[in-house]
Amino acid sequence: MDLLFNREQSNAASGGVNFKLWGKIELDEDEKSIVSKYKFDQAILIFADQPGLLRKSVFIGIGAMVAAMVLLNQMGMMGALIALAAGIGAGYWWYHQKRETIYVKDLLHGRHFNCDSVVELARKEAWLGTVVSFLRQVMESAKHWDGTERHTVEPLSKDEARQVIIKGL
């Protein structure tokens, strides 16, 4: 498994700088078969709770639909269908541009990440590297998931058991 990064920067309309990180993982044939067999492409690598994102995406979609309906009001039913498609497309685009939850499939196809600073870009790159290394180890262990394994758990001494209970793992 290879993790590819591409970093870009451009001038923002406000006079600042925009940073963009593109990340992609490349798999060999064995790794592709594991991803396919266990449907790892649907797995979440990084979860981000963004409660207002879906609602804002719907509002963006409605706004785009209304704007398209105003522009296409002479076209009748065909204009309404085009406006509906424009609204759905705008909402979908907005949602996927702003979501911070990262799926394995995002990196299989390559994904751009907008970053507000070069520090955020470096942190995102390091975080992606860490979670992709976890994915790599899960995929490696998946090669041995068939069959039954026996793990004997030995009891600890009274003091060791107490420390485990108090401190946790």
Side-chain angles (χ1 to χ4, degrees):
M1 175 183 299
D2 292 321
L3 177 57
L4 309 175
F5 287 122
N6 186 15
R7 297 161 210 86
E8 300 174 11
Q9 78 178 49
S10 60
N11 294 326
S14 63
V17 178
N18 289 329
F19 297 95
K20 192 176 266 190
L21 175 67
W22 175 81
K24 181 178 181 182
I25 52 177
E26 290 185 340
L27 306 175
D28 63 25
E29 291 305 315
D30 290 339
E31 293 164 340
K32 287 178 185 176
S33 68
I34 291 172
V35 167
S36 176
K37 180 177 181 179
Y38 295 107
K39 297 185 178 23
F40 283 145
D41 58 330
Q42 301 299 317
I44 294 174
L45 281 177
I46 299 173
F47 175 77
D49 187 24
Q50 295 175 278
L53 180 62
L54 185 58
R55 182 180 49 211
K56 185 156 187 177
S57 300
V58 169
F59 288 138
I60 295 289
I62 290 170
M65 184 177 69
V66 168
M69 287 180 85
V70 168
L71 292 172
L72 302 171
N73 69 351
Q74 301 297 324
M75 293 182 66
M77 183 57 93
M78 186 60 139
L81 290 175
I82 294 171
L84 179 63
I88 291 170
Y92 180 83
W93 175 83
W94 179 266
Y95 180 81
H96 285 285
Q97 286 297 311
K98 300 300 180 180
R99 73 176 163 87
E100 294 179 17
T101 297
I102 302 169
Y103 295 89
V104 172
K105 66 182 170 187
D106 291 335
L107 294 179
L108 288 173
H109 301 293
R111 179 168 169 196
H112 284 94
F113 303 94
N114 294 317
C115 302
D116 293 331
S117 69
V118 71
V119 172
E120 183 184 343
L121 185 139
R123 286 180 178 161
K124 179 73 79 173
E125 187 175 317
W127 184 232
L128 287 170
T130 300
V131 296
V132 167
S133 68
F134 287 139
L135 172 65
R136 176 70 186 103
Q137 299 315 314
V138 169
M139 289 175 58
E140 188 63 31
S141 72
K143 292 178 181 178
H144 311 287
W145 283 356
D146 295 331
T148 304
E149 291 183 23
R150 178 179 306 274
H151 296 270
T152 303
V153 180
E154 298 293 332
L156 299 173
S157 70
K158 178 181 172 184
D159 290 335
E160 289 173 323
R162 183 173 181 266
Q163 290 302 314
V164 167
I165 292 168
I166 292 171
K167 294 181 181 177
L169 298 175

